[in-house]
Amino acid sequence: YISYDPNKLIGVEIKWAFIRGGMVLPSVALRLSETFARLYFMHTRTYKIDVVASKKMGWFMDPYVGMGLQLASGDLDVPIGGPGGLSTTLSQHESFSPMHAYVGIPLKFVLMTLTGEYDYSFSGVSVLGLKASLAL
């Protein structure tokens, strides 16, 4: 959760490992997530339901692969000023629900985990990301 008026970012994720991996088999989990963003004149909301498989490769790496459905919607409301104090708003609403697949490799260090992830949406959008997280 991040908030700085008038902006707000909220994200929630729940994961349930219904198959616990062992020495040979990977772990398999169901992951549900929601993200909400309000940034000035843009509002978005995304829901995801994914199946994720991961395999522990020693203490330093847990690669994972996943696939699921994302339900996304967004609104754009841009105020436009006109002559003589007249104003109007340019508005647009979009919704889509494509499937997506992703793969990631988290590398664990003493107090930090560095994760590289590639996410491909079947609507044609690819995302390559790098995330750093601290662990105490």
Side-chain angles (χ1 to χ4, degrees):
Y1 174 81
I2 298 171
S3 180
Y4 178 75
D5 277 338
N7 302 306
K8 188 176 285 188
L9 299 168
I10 301 171
V12 177
E13 178 180 287
I14 298 171
K15 192 185 319 184
W16 171 55
F18 57 92
I19 297 176
R20 299 247 182 224
M23 294 296 288
V24 178
L25 293 176
S27 296
V28 181
L30 178 67
R31 181 169 69 180
L32 304 171
S33 62
E34 178 185 6
T35 306
F36 169 79
R38 182 177 63 212
L39 303 169
Y40 298 105
F41 52 83
M42 178 178 64
H43 303 158
T44 63
R45 185 173 298 265
T46 304
Y47 301 96
K48 291 183 182 180
I49 182 167
D50 297 319
V51 175
V52 183
S54 65
K55 182 68 179 128
K56 191 172 271 303
M57 310 276 290
W59 61 270
F60 66 95
M61 184 170 50
D62 297 332
Y64 60 89
V65 62
M67 180 174 239
L69 178 67
Q70 45 189 353
L71 308 168
S73 67
D75 294 302
L76 185 65
D77 293 312
V78 180
I80 300 172
L86 297 174
S87 65
T88 187
T89 303
L90 174 66
S91 298
Q92 180 69 35
H93 175 81
E94 288 292 329
S95 295
F96 60 96
S97 54
M99 297 286 292
H100 74 123
Y102 52 93
V103 61
I105 301 176
L107 300 174
K108 296 179 181 181
F109 301 100
V110 177
L111 294 176
M112 184 177 76
T113 300
L114 194 60
T115 304
E117 184 176 290
Y118 175 74
D119 189 324
Y120 176 76
S121 170
F122 291 96
S123 65
V125 177
S126 295
V127 176
L128 184 60
L130 184 64
K131 175 178 78 170
S133 54
L134 298 175
L136 301 175

